[in-house]
């Protein structure tokens, strides 16, 4: 047996495995409304979140503390019918938030997106929308200045402990002011980030009105509808791709709808899905296949169409292919819809309609495994056919069958989400307890007298904690002859619940000792924490091609992501690239250990034994382990973690760090390859 020992500090209580889930189980699903989770720094009673309607929410870890923070901006009916109010909250990691003074401008009908534009490891923010909620179509002199495309670059922490953001004007950013529409631009995913050309820089995809191109100042129908693809130019600016369709045409312009970046055909390149109201004066839906050369070709599949819609993608049946989910209304007859396009592979689809999926428009879709059964569930709000406000949690039973849970069955289960439409619904883990919580906001009739509502609901389901997947193994890299493409591949990871076929992946690539890190989904390299609430641009296969610009020594890593939006620790490898002699690979150890807050997280290849010691040598935990998991402890302090496996050489890693947000110091040492039981190394907790 080979050993790895780790000295580490951690805190809190021993985790207990609870109820084991069966597919589609709803009996153990529980949510609890989090009343007044916002703390006041100056004292006084806690507050609720500021109410908002007609807006998306952006969840992202802007300060790299391992918790998802929140920004949104739009109409607040409590103030004025035309007032917009920005809301910026810092997540304390324990279910509470601090409301911050926002450095961002108020924006109506907004769709904020957290992403890392310049690959410096800090999340930047893009906010398209309107500066004035009371936008006037017939006032050309004011409306052009009203439309916004605000880009804020994260400058990092300042000497006073706060984070600074620098706004980049559109004259420098290359972006074009766009908004999605006053009727349909209400909580739809109409702006999204992803690296479509695999150059390591995150691009932007946006749909809506480009008012500067409008030819008739009075005719709503004559406004220029667009689906704009902005290529990221090495983290410095963006460039509009004017003719990405077949290399000679723009995408079909649409408003009042949504866009998605997704690898639908599993070739390692992001495709595009768009819905909305187009120049045809009808609802439209388009799928564009990435041709791997900066251009796209349109699918010839005959998709049904919607507007005032939300389209999104998720592998609902765990077969390894991303399905397309559509809500909305057919413009010409007002018929509302909710259906799924099953991805059959080979760029083919099958339309699936289920009686359980109640037709709505004005909704937003969010996906995630809320009951830890390995299947992605759906949360959505909207207007039904009788214009009633609804919020539905659809528990996935497998094979595209769902169990709807909503306000109507509150008596059965003791809880019910508020009924909203034209807002935002998101499944996110706000306290990192391994269970997805629910954010719900929008236009409401049964909660707030002013017609708006914003609520956070904690997942208290009686289910086992979602553990992170195991790390991928056997990392490989090679240069594709005659190109500047680096081909990366790895063996599939495994997870405690999510099937191997349904796991997705995230990779990073950086030059050694460089601050620039190319990454498909923003994540913390040390802990594997996914920094954004809405994951976009993730990989569907165990391979990826990325462009490189020069020779040198590179580090790269890959993590697995499960249906509960949990990322594994990164498996890492170092490679030396020389265009003449090729590349040299050196994969790092296959044992990974990380601590955060109250837990110790581990990932190994195969099986092994784990033992946790106090610094006096007494054993506090001992068990057999497999692949990946976590352990929490009753007392804060310093511990030795010993893992026995047959896969790696001995090593000892000494961690010295403090709890509650203080600095972390890490040193690494190698042990001789010889039999040892354990070695004590004391770490001081400040």
């Amino acid at each position: 047996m080979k050993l790895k020992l780790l000295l580490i500090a951690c805190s809190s209580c021993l985790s207990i495995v609870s109820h084991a889930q069966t597919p589609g189980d709803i009996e153990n699903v529980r949510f609890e409304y989090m009343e007044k989770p916002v703390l006041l720094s100056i004292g006084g009673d806690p507050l609720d979140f500021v109410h908002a309607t007609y807006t998306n929410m952006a969840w992202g870890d802007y300060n790299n503390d391992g918790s998802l923070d929140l920004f949104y901006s739009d109409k607040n009916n409590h103030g004025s019918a035309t007032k917009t109010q920005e809301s910026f909250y810092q997540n304390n990691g324990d279910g509470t938030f601090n409301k911050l003074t926002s450095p961002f401008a108020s924006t109506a009908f907004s769709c904020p997106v957290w992403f890392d534009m310049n690959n410096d490891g800090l999340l930047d923010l893009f906010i398209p929308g309107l500066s004035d909620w009371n936008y006037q179509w017939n006032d050309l002199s004011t409306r052009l200045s009203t439309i916004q495309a605000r880009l804020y670059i994260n400058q990092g922490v300042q000497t006073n402990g706060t984070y600074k953001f620098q706004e980049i004007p559109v004259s420098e950013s290359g972006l074009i002011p766009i908004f999605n529409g006053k009727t349909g631009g209400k909580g739809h995913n109409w702006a999204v980030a992803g690296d479509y050309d695999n150059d390591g820089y995150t691009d932007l995809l946006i749909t809506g009105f480009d008012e500067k191109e409008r030819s008739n100042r009075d005719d709503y129908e004559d406004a220029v509808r667009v689906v704009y693809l902005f290529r990221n130019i090495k983290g410095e600016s963006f460039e509009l791709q004017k003719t990405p369709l077949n290399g000679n045409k723009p995408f079909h312009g649409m408003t009042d709808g949504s866009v998605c970046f997704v690898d639908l055909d599993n070739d390692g390149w992001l495709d595009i899905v768009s819905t909305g109201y187009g120049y045809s004066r009808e609802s439209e839906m388009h799928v564009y296949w990435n041709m791997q050369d900066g251009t796209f070709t349109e699918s010839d599949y005959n998709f049904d169409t919607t507007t005032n819609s939300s389209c999104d993608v998720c592998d609902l049946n765990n077969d390894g292919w991303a399905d397309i989910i559509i809500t909305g209304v057919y413009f010409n007859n007002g018929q509302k819809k909710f259906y799924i396009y099953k991805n059959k592979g080979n760029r083919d689809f099958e339309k699936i309609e289920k009686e359980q999926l109640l037709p709505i428009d004005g909704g937003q879709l969010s996906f995630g495994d809320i009951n830890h059964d390995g299947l992605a569930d759906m949360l959505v709000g909207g207007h039904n056919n009788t214009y009633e406000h609804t919020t539905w949690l659809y528990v996935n039973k497998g094979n595209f069958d769902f169990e709807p849970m909503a306000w109507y069955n509150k008596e059965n289960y003791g809880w019910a989400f508020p009924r909203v439409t034209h807002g935002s619904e998101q499944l996110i883990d706000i306290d990192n307890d391994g269970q997805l919580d629910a954010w719900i906001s929008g236009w409401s009739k049964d909660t707030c007298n002013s017609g708006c509502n914003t609520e956070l609901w904690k997942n208290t389901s009686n289910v086992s904690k979602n553990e992170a997947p195991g790390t991928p193994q056997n990392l490989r890299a090679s240069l594709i002859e005659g190109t500047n493409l680096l081909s990366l591949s790895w063996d599939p990871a495994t997870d405690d619940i999510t099937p191997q076929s349904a796991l997705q992946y995230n990779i990073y690539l950086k030059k050694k000792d460089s601050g620039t890190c190319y990454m498909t989904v923003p994540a913390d390299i040390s802990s594997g924490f996914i920094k954004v609430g809405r994951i976009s641009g993730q990989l569907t296969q165990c391979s990826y091609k990325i462009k490189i610009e020069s020779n040198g020594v590179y580090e790269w890593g890959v993590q697995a992501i499960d249906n509960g939006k949990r990322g594994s620790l990164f498996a890492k490898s170092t490679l030396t690239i020389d265009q003449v002699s090729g590349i040299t690979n050196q994969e790092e150890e296959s044992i990974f250990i990380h601590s955060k807050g109250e837990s110790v997280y581990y990932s190994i290849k195969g099986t092994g034994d784990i033992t946790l010691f106090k610094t006096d040598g007494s054993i506090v935990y001992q068990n057999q382990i497999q692949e990946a998991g976590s352990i929490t402890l009753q007392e804060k302090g310093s511990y030795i973690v010993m893992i026995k496996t047959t896969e790696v050489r001995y090593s000892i890693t000494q961690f010295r760090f403090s709890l509650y947000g203080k600095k972390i110091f890490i040193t690494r040492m190698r042990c001789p390859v010889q039999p040892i039981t354990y070695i004590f190394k004391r770490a001081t907790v400040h």
Side-chain angles (χ1 to χ4, degrees):
M1 299 283 278
K2 306 294 186 180
L3 309 180
K4 182 173 183 177
L5 296 94
L6 174 70
L7 185 68
I8 198 164
C10 52
S11 70
S12 202
C13 56
L14 189 67
S15 61
I16 304 295
V17 176
S18 56
H19 183 80
Q21 291 298 111
T22 57
D25 178 23
I26 64 172
E27 296 296 328
N28 295 284
V29 175
R30 300 286 187 274
F31 285 86
E32 180 180 320
Y33 171 57
M34 299 182 65
E35 187 176 4
K36 301 186 183 304
V38 181
L39 306 179
L40 295 176
S41 58
I42 58 175
D45 296 330
L47 302 174
D48 289 319
F49 292 102
V50 172
H51 286 192
T53 57
Y54 310 136
T55 185
N56 269 286
M57 310 287 156
W59 289 88
D61 183 12
Y62 82 95
N63 59 356
N64 286 341
D65 68 350
S67 296
L68 293 175
D69 309 300
L70 172 65
F71 173 78
Y72 58 94
S73 175
D74 213 294
K75 180 181 177 183
N76 177 14
N77 289 0
H78 297 275
S80 165
T82 61
K83 180 182 178 181
T84 59
Q85 181 173 341
E86 71 281 0
S87 299
F88 189 27
Y89 297 92
Q90 181 175 304
N91 189 342
N92 297 318
D94 58 0
T96 65
F97 295 78
N98 294 330
K99 193 174 189 303
L100 306 179
T101 299
S102 173
F104 315 115
S106 295
T107 310
F109 300 101
S110 62
C111 186
V113 179
W114 288 110
F115 74 116
D116 188 356
M117 175 185 173
N118 52 9
N119 293 336
D120 64 351
L122 297 168
L123 289 184
D124 311 303
L125 186 63
F126 171 62
I127 314 174
L130 300 172
S131 61
D132 183 3
W133 190 89
N134 193 28
Y135 179 81
Q136 301 296 317
W137 279 97
N138 60 357
D139 188 353
L140 184 62
S141 64
T142 61
R143 68 173 176 237
L144 293 182
S145 63
T146 298
I147 305 171
Q148 306 293 306
R150 296 186 176 274
L151 178 63
Y152 295 90
I153 303 301
N154 192 337
Q155 303 292 297
V157 66
Q158 306 300 296
T159 56
N160 62 0
T162 64
Y163 277 70
K164 179 182 178 182
F165 289 84
Q166 179 185 358
E167 183 175 2
I168 308 300
V170 292
S171 59
E172 298 178 17
S173 69
L175 297 168
I176 297 173
I178 296 172
F179 79 106
N180 196 235
K182 289 188 67 174
T183 58
K186 302 174 180 178
H188 302 150
N189 299 317
W190 55 276
V192 66
D195 182 12
Y196 80 93
D197 56 356
N198 290 23
D199 68 347
Y201 290 95
T202 305
D203 313 296
L204 291 173
L205 179 69
I206 312 167
T207 182
F209 291 109
D210 181 354
E211 276 282 77
K212 286 188 177 181
E213 299 294 327
R214 188 173 182 177
S215 59
N216 185 318
R217 66 171 59 191
D218 298 320
D219 184 7
Y220 177 94
E221 300 292 343
D222 201 35
V224 175
R225 293 170 168 81
V226 300
V227 172
Y228 277 165
L229 179 63
F230 291 96
R231 180 173 174 255
N232 188 334
I233 309 300
K234 298 183 178 181
E236 297 176 354
S237 64
F238 290 90
E239 180 182 68
L240 174 63
Q241 305 303 289
K242 296 181 179 180
T243 56
L245 182 56
N246 301 324
N248 57 19
K249 299 177 183 177
F251 293 133
H252 297 282
M254 289 187 291
T255 60
D256 307 304
S258 302
V259 288
C260 302
F261 270 135
V262 57
D263 184 6
L264 285 172
D265 54 2
N266 288 352
D267 66 350
W269 298 77
L270 295 181
D271 310 301
I272 290 173
V273 183
S274 65
T275 63
Y277 182 77
Y279 284 108
S280 64
R281 305 292 193 265
E282 293 184 359
S283 308
E284 297 183 19
M285 176 176 172
H286 302 277
V287 170
Y288 302 104
W289 302 110
N290 194 327
M291 301 305 292
Q292 306 182 16
D293 60 359
T295 69
F296 294 77
T297 185
E298 187 172 1
S299 170
D300 58 5
Y301 188 90
N302 186 26
F303 294 98
D304 203 352
T305 61
T306 64
T307 190
N308 197 9
S309 59
S310 178
C311 74
D312 217 323
V313 290
C314 182
D315 181 6
L316 292 176
N317 62 339
N318 288 345
D319 65 350
W321 297 89
D323 309 300
I324 304 173
I325 301 91
I326 302 290
T327 68
V329 60
Y330 183 59
F331 187 84
N332 283 17
N333 61 15
Q335 181 183 359
K336 299 184 180 183
K337 302 180 178 183
F338 193 155
Y339 49 85
I340 299 167
Y341 279 108
K342 175 185 176 181
N343 191 339
K344 299 168 62 177
N346 295 319
R347 299 185 173 181
D348 191 20
F349 300 87
E350 175 187 352
K351 184 179 178 181
I352 294 177
E353 294 184 271
K354 294 285 187 176
E355 292 184 355
Q356 315 102 309
L357 304 179
L358 302 179
I360 57 168
D361 70 342
Q364 184 188 55
L365 291 157
S366 184
F367 306 94
D369 183 3
I370 56 97
N371 58 351
H372 201 206
D373 62 356
L375 294 163
D377 309 297
M378 299 188 292
L379 177 66
V380 62
H383 262 153
N384 64 18
N385 278 320
T386 60
Y387 295 94
E388 188 174 23
H389 298 219
T390 64
T391 302
W392 295 92
L393 177 65
Y394 290 98
V395 179
N396 195 339
K397 300 167 63 177
N399 197 32
F400 300 104
D401 284 325
F402 298 87
E403 183 72 31
M405 302 186 73
W407 55 270
Y408 78 91
N409 53 17
K410 179 179 181 179
E411 293 183 358
N412 295 349
Y413 301 105
W415 61 272
F417 292 139
R419 295 182 290 165
V420 300
T421 185
H422 294 83
S424 178
E425 293 79 34
Q426 293 199 26
L427 294 171
I428 67 281
D429 187 356
I430 57 100
D431 51 3
N432 298 324
D433 66 349
Q435 298 198 107
L436 292 176
D437 311 298
W439 171 270
I440 299 168
S441 68
W443 176 22
S444 174
K445 286 187 175 181
D446 59 353
T447 303
C448 173
N449 293 330
S450 298
C452 54
N453 195 31
T454 297
E455 295 185 2
L456 184 60
W457 287 67
K458 180 173 175 55
N459 189 338
T460 58
S461 301
N462 182 28
V463 299
S464 57
K465 175 182 177 181
N466 179 31
E467 299 288 358
T471 55
Q473 304 292 329
N474 193 21
L475 277 60
R476 306 174 293 278
S478 62
L479 285 171
I480 300 177
E481 188 175 355
T483 73
N484 64 339
L485 288 173
L486 178 66
S487 177
L488 307 173
S489 60
W490 53 91
D491 291 347
T494 57
D495 185 69
D496 57 339
I497 294 293
T498 302
Q500 192 174 66
S501 60
L503 291 175
Q504 299 177 356
Y505 298 92
N506 181 31
I507 67 103
Y508 78 87
L509 176 72
K510 62 177 295 187
K511 271 195 170 182
K512 277 287 192 179
D513 303 320
S514 170
T516 301
C517 181
Y518 310 107
M519 187 173 292
T520 51
V521 177
D524 185 278
I525 293 176
S526 299
S527 67
F529 175 72
I530 305 295
K531 295 183 181 181
V532 290
R534 186 188 179 211
I535 302 174
S536 175
Q538 66 269 36
L539 312 180
T540 55
Q541 297 290 290
C542 297
S543 62
Y544 190 68
K545 298 179 180 67
I546 187 170
K547 298 175 183 176
I548 58 170
E549 296 182 348
S550 62
N551 296 338
V553 180
Y554 288 83
E555 174 187 298
W556 75 281
V558 58
Q559 69 173 164
I561 305 172
D562 66 16
N563 278 338
K565 302 184 181 182
R566 196 76 179 267
S568 74
L569 299 175
F570 278 91
K572 301 176 181 179
S573 179
T574 300
L575 54 92
T576 302
I577 299 178
D578 189 308
Q579 297 286 3
V580 176
S581 58
I583 68 174
T584 303
N585 290 282
Q586 181 179 354
E587 186 172 357
E588 296 190 4
E589 302 165 350
S590 56
I591 287 181
F592 304 90
I593 302 175
H594 177 76
S595 73
K596 184 179 187 303
E598 58 190 33
S599 299
V600 176
Y601 299 90
Y602 61 83
S603 179
I604 67 173
K605 184 177 181 180
T607 60
D609 299 310
I610 189 169
T611 306
L612 274 71
F613 304 87
K614 289 185 176 180
T615 52
D616 63 2
S618 61
I619 297 175
V620 296
Y621 183 84
Q622 192 171 27
N623 206 351
Q624 292 184 334
I625 58 175
Q626 182 175 358
E627 301 295 343
S630 66
I631 303 165
T632 56
L633 301 169
Q634 292 183 342
E635 301 178 359
K636 62 183 180 181
S638 298
Y639 297 85
I640 293 175
V641 180
M642 181 176 73
I643 294 180
K644 297 181 180 181
T645 80
T646 58
E647 300 295 335
V648 299
R649 296 177 178 272
Y650 313 132
S651 70
I652 297 177
T653 303
Q654 178 176 309
F655 281 67
R656 181 165 155 239
F657 68 100
S658 61
L659 303 175
Y660 313 116
K662 296 185 179 180
K663 292 184 178 180
I664 300 175
F665 306 91
I666 303 173
T667 59
R668 183 177 289 269
M669 308 172 275
R670 299 289 180 182
C671 293
V673 181
Q674 58 185 0
I676 54 178
T677 304
Y678 59 84
I679 297 178
F680 294 114
K681 294 290 182 180
R682 182 176 296 276
T684 303
V685 179
H686 301 280

